[in-house]
C-alpha cells in the first residue's frame, strides 16, 4: 500500500522547521502534498501564489513532494486528493492544545481522515513564521532560519512596505 499525506498550513513563509518536517515525512510516506491554505480572512505577508512558488522552490530536491493550495476544509481537500491522512508538526506544549482540538474536530467531520504528528527537531522548536517576520522587521538576521530565496523575499517585501 502506498501512503499519501497532506501537510496543510499557512506557510507565511515556509521556515527551516517546516522543511525539516517535510524532509522527515518524505522518508516515511510515498507522496506528500504540501497544501498552502488560502484563508481570505487572515492577513498574510505573502499572497497564496507567492507562498506556493516559494515552497515549490524549497522542495524542488524532493521528487515525491507536490505543492498545491486549497481553501475550505482540510478534510474535504484530503478526500478530494484521495490522500490517507493529514500531517502536522508539533513544537511546544502550546501547540498541543490547538492541534488536539483541530484533529478532534476533523475526526468529527470525517471519521476516516487521521491526523499524524511529527515532533519538531529540537533545533527548530523555537521557530515560527511569525517570529521570523518579527525579527526581520526589526533588522535581525534570519538567514539561518529560512531558505535563502525566502530570506530574500522577506527582505524585498519589507522594503516595499
Ligand atoms: P498554521 O497556520 O496552519 O498553523 P503554519 O504554517 O504555521 O500553519 O504551520 C503548519 C504546520 O507546521 C503546523 O502543524 C505547525 O505546528 C508546524 N510547524 C510550524 N513551525 C514548525 C517548526 N519549527 N517545527 C515543527 N513544526 C512546525
Amino acid at each position: 500500500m502506498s501512503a499519501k499525506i497532506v501537510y496543510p498550513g499557512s506557510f507565511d513563509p515556509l521556515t527551516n522547521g517546516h522543511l525539516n518536517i517535510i524532509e522527515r515525512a518524505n522518508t516515511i510516506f510515498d507522496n506528500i502534498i504540501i497544501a498552502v491554505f488560502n484563508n481570505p480572512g487572515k492577513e498574510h505577508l505573502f499572497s497564496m501564489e507567492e507562498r506556493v512558488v516559494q515552497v515549490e522552490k524549497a522542495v524542488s530536491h524532493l521528487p515525491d513532494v507536490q505543492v498545491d493550495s486549497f481553501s475550505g476544509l482540510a478534510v474535504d481537500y484530503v478526500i478530494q486528493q484521495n490522500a490517507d491522512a493529514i500531517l502536522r508538526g508539533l513544537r511546544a506544549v502550546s501547540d498541543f492544545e490547538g492541534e488536539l482540538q483541530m484533529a478532534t474536530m476533523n475526526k468529527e467531520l470525517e471519521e476516516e481522515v487521521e491526523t499524524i504528528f511529527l515532533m519538531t527537531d529540537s533545533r527548530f522548536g523555537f521557530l515560527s513564521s511569525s517570529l521570523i517576520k518579527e525579527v526581520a522587521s526589526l533588522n535581525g538576521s534570519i538567514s539561518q532560519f529560512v531558505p535563502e530565496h525566502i530570506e530574500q523575499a522577506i527582505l524585498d517585501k519589507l522594503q516595499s512596505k
Side-chain angles (χ1 to χ4, degrees):
M1 196 198 103
S2 77
K4 185 173 176 181
I5 197 156
V6 171
Y7 183 31
S10 309
F11 305 109
D12 186 42
L14 176 116
T15 70
N16 289 342
H18 294 125
L19 202 50
N20 174 260
I21 293 286
I22 296 162
E23 285 171 345
R24 286 161 56 207
N26 189 48
T27 67
I28 304 169
F29 303 103
D30 302 291
N31 285 289
I32 304 171
I33 304 175
I34 305 168
V36 178
F37 181 41
N38 181 24
N39 184 353
K42 206 167 149 186
E43 260 225 30
H44 292 293
L45 181 62
F46 294 106
S47 71
M48 196 196 63
E49 292 78 13
E50 287 172 320
R51 284 177 278 147
V52 167
V53 171
Q54 289 167 1
V55 177
E56 274 172 349
K57 190 163 178 188
V59 300
S60 58
H61 61 299
L62 302 170
D64 299 321
V65 177
Q66 288 165 251
V67 185
D68 193 11
S69 60
F70 77 105
S71 47
L73 289 174
V75 284
D76 288 344
Y77 179 78
V78 169
I79 289 168
Q80 179 210 320
Q81 292 297 317
N82 249 319
D84 302 290
I86 293 173
L87 171 68
R88 296 284 286 175
L90 274 183
R91 287 162 296 187
V93 179
S94 51
D95 274 346
F96 182 84
E97 202 175 337
E99 292 292 344
L100 174 66
Q101 231 178 357
M102 185 68 79
T104 309
M105 175 55 87
N106 283 337
K107 206 91 175 81
E108 290 290 322
L109 294 169
E110 290 295 343
E111 174 70 27
E112 71 273 27
V113 177
E114 295 288 349
T115 304
I116 294 173
F117 294 96
L118 280 182
M119 292 293 169
T120 186
D121 182 300
S122 58
R123 287 176 296 157
F124 304 118
F126 65 96
L127 261 191
S128 70
S129 302
S130 48
L131 194 52
I132 296 292
K133 288 181 280 193
E134 190 176 339
V135 169
S137 72
L138 298 170
N139 297 317
S141 167
I142 53 165
S143 57
Q144 66 272 48
F145 308 132
V146 291
E148 208 177 315
H149 67 283
I150 292 181
E151 178 191 10
Q152 196 52 54
I154 295 172
L155 298 178
D156 291 348
K157 185 69 90 176
L158 290 175
Q159 216 155 44
S160 73
K161 284 210 161 205

